[in-house]
Amino acid sequence: MNRAFFQNLPVVRPKASADEIWLRLIQAFALLFLALALALPLVSLLLRAFEDQQGSFVGLRNFAIYVTTPSLVRSAWNSLWTALVTTCVVIPLAFTYAYGLTRSCMARKWLFRAVMLLPILAPSLLPALSLIYLFGNQGMLRGLMAGGSIYGPWGIIGAQIFYCFPAAAIIISVALSTADGRLYEAAEALKASRLRIFLTVTLPGAMYGLVSASVVVFTLVVTDFGIPKVIGGQFNVLATDVYKQVVGRQDLNMGAVVGLVLLIPAVLAFVLDRWAHNKRSATLTGRAIAYRPKPRRGRDIPAFLFCLSVAIALLGIVAVSVWGSFIRFWPYNLSLTLDNYDFTRFDTAGWQAVWLSVKLSLITAFVGTALIFIIAYSLERGPTRSLLAAPLRFLATIPLAVPGLVLGLAFIIFFNHPANPLGIIYGTLTILVLNSIIHFYTVGHLTAVTAIRQLDPEFEAVSASLHVPIWQTFGRVTLPICLPAILEILVFLFVSAMTTVSAVIFLYGPDTKPASVSVVHMDEAGQASAAAAMACVILAISLTAKLTELTVGGLFARFTSAWRR
């Protein structure tokens, strides 16, 4: 037959199944959600930096004012050099600690891993308060300062070392634990010395992990608000400049400029971290075998002593704050009392701030986990050529590069705009929940994607062939198998919402003040013991959540193991 006859026939495309339609609808909802809660606020922040107080376009005038204001430029330099110094101190400490956990046969590894996580469960203000008790103007060890002051760069660096250490140690531990044991077998067969093996095998194998850890530490220091606010004194950094411009001077335009400046190192660090992650993933092969260290006293004993010293230091910082929370009136009356836990004496919110933080964290955890996991599932099991998938994946990774202060400022500008009908949520618990979900979205998304990708796509294919709706497969197969990852996301969101300061410092209302913000206000009022007490309550709640996760996860692992047998 004539070829033209077939060319003129209409193209018949297969009709989309009901499952595909549902997954496309979920992707469309997710794209709309992230556009309203993330993209549009960031665009509003960007536009505000080019406007004056009346909303008129002024071009680069605000940026010109910024670069010609010595105090603002000095703050940027202060943020950079304190972050560099902190990174240079934390990375060697974290590498040695992680090396002891992964490459030695020392005892009590589980205990050292548990202690390592303590800084993650506490608000960043806690180490700053402890250092003030130790080295402040009335500190117990102030004589060691040799006439210097803890209020300033060295106090910031000291507190940031405590705060950033676990993040670096976790990343480096993962990098060291994924090493290929065959390389060490080959090196030993060639009679290479231990130093040569370390320099030519261990360090190169962990290089991209070290880069990722360095980037994370640098970003945490540059973007953190709590530590410089408490112990920074007159030493200004970018994070405190944003706060002063918005809260002190009510200048959202200059606050937007400083926020964009704060965003630059965070975005560059994010790009570098993605490069390191991709490079590290490319070095892993399916033929690699796990490296198993052999007992060696010359390595195991020093590793144990080093990890013990670091663990004691971490516990000591926490213990100082706990002890300080029971002091009646520092430093004049050191008798112990529970009065500092009567928060209504020091802050109008009182214990209500704690209960609100718990409520905020619970809603963030459950709503955020459901959203994150369902959206990740729609991306991984939905149509691969969907026009919605690419922008959705891009938006899902953006929050990791946006500091909490910048996101909070963007929320102010967008949701508080008179023309925005969504402004009704400003100052309510809803905007705090929304901000917390968006701020910590990427980590949960990556965890969910990793768990879903480990499942065989044939589950959905078989269900489709049997005409079983995808939501039944999701509920009966995907959710039970991915339950450990879901629990991990749940607790991560809970703890993060409980401890964050920077993400919510601009957004709370008279009746929605979180406990972490109360710590800042108590410290500003000179109530150090009450601030330490509130920080310890936050730590106790976060620790309880983490222990619950470990207990439930262990029970689930036993049940799964018994079911498989």
Side-chain angles (χ1 to χ4, degrees), residues 129-136 139-142 316-317 320 330:
L129 293 170
S130 295
L131 290 181
I132 291 174
Y133 277 119
L134 291 172
F135 305 106
M140 297 178 292
L141 304 177
R142 64 185 181 277
I317 293 293
V320 168
W330 175 267

Side-chain angles (χ1 to χ4, degrees), residues 280-404:
R280 183 166 62 88
S281 298
T283 61
L284 301 177
T285 65
R287 293 177 295 176
I289 62 174
Y291 172 75
R292 299 185 182 277
K294 301 175 182 178
R296 193 174 77 239
R297 292 175 61 86
R299 176 203 57 204
D300 297 343
I301 293 177
F304 177 82
L305 293 176
F306 178 85
C307 291
L308 180 63
S309 301
V310 173
I312 290 174
L314 296 177
L315 288 171
I317 293 293
V318 175
V320 168
S321 283
V322 173
W323 174 73
S325 70
F326 292 105
I327 296 299
R328 186 173 295 278
F329 186 57
W330 175 267
Y332 306 104
N333 186 348
L334 301 183
S335 60
L336 301 182
T337 180
L338 291 173
D339 290 347
N340 295 320
Y341 286 85
D342 183 11
F343 297 128
T344 54
R345 299 174 53 207
F346 312 101
D347 188 85
T348 54
W351 273 93
Q352 183 61 33
V354 177
W355 309 134
L356 185 128
S357 282
V358 173
K359 184 178 179 181
L360 164 66
S361 301
L362 286 173
I363 298 175
T364 299
F366 285 99
V367 175
T369 301
L371 281 173
I372 289 170
F373 195 83
I374 291 173
I375 293 172
Y377 184 82
S378 73
L379 281 173
E380 294 304 312
R381 294 296 187 259
T384 56
R385 296 184 180 180
S386 170
L387 295 177
L388 303 175
L392 187 54
R393 291 183 191 277
F394 173 72
L395 287 176
T397 60
I398 287 180
L400 196 61
V402 180

Side-chain angles (χ1 to χ4, degrees), residues 497-509:
M498 195 75 203
T499 58
T500 186
V501 179
S502 59
V504 296
I505 191 69
F506 294 141
L507 302 175
Y508 69 93

Side-chain angles (χ1 to χ4, degrees), residues 110-122:
W110 64 271
L111 181 59
F112 291 130
R113 287 192 176 93
V115 173
M116 179 183 72
L117 297 177
L118 276 178
I120 296 177
L121 305 176

Side-chain angles (χ1 to χ4, degrees), residues 118-249:
L118 276 178
I120 296 177
L121 305 176
S124 62
L125 303 96
L126 186 141
L129 293 170
S130 295
L131 290 181
I132 291 174
Y133 277 119
L134 291 172
F135 305 106
N137 294 334
Q138 304 293 336
M140 297 178 292
L141 304 177
R142 64 185 181 277
L144 298 178
M145 295 298 296
S149 175
I150 196 66
Y151 299 97
W154 305 118
I156 293 175
I157 292 172
Q160 293 287 9
I161 290 172
F162 172 90
Y163 176 59
C164 299
F165 175 82
I170 291 172
I171 295 172
I172 297 174
S173 294
V174 173
L176 289 173
S177 62
T178 55
D180 191 346
R182 297 175 302 169
L183 298 177
Y184 291 89
E185 293 176 359
E188 292 174 358
L190 294 173
K191 306 299 183 182
S193 65
R194 293 192 179 100
L195 178 60
R196 185 174 180 83
I197 294 175
F198 179 80
L199 295 176
T200 60
V201 180
T202 303
L203 278 183
M207 184 56 63
Y208 297 118
L210 290 171
V211 172
S212 292
S214 301
V215 167
V216 168
V217 172
F218 182 87
T219 305
L220 286 174
V221 177
V222 170
T223 60
D224 180 63
F225 168 75
I227 288 175
K229 182 68 176 67
V230 171
I231 204 171
Q234 301 302 314
F235 185 82
N236 292 328
V237 294
L238 284 172
T240 53
D241 270 354
V242 175
Y243 183 77
K244 290 177 181 178
Q245 294 292 337
V246 176
V247 176
R249 300 181 181 180

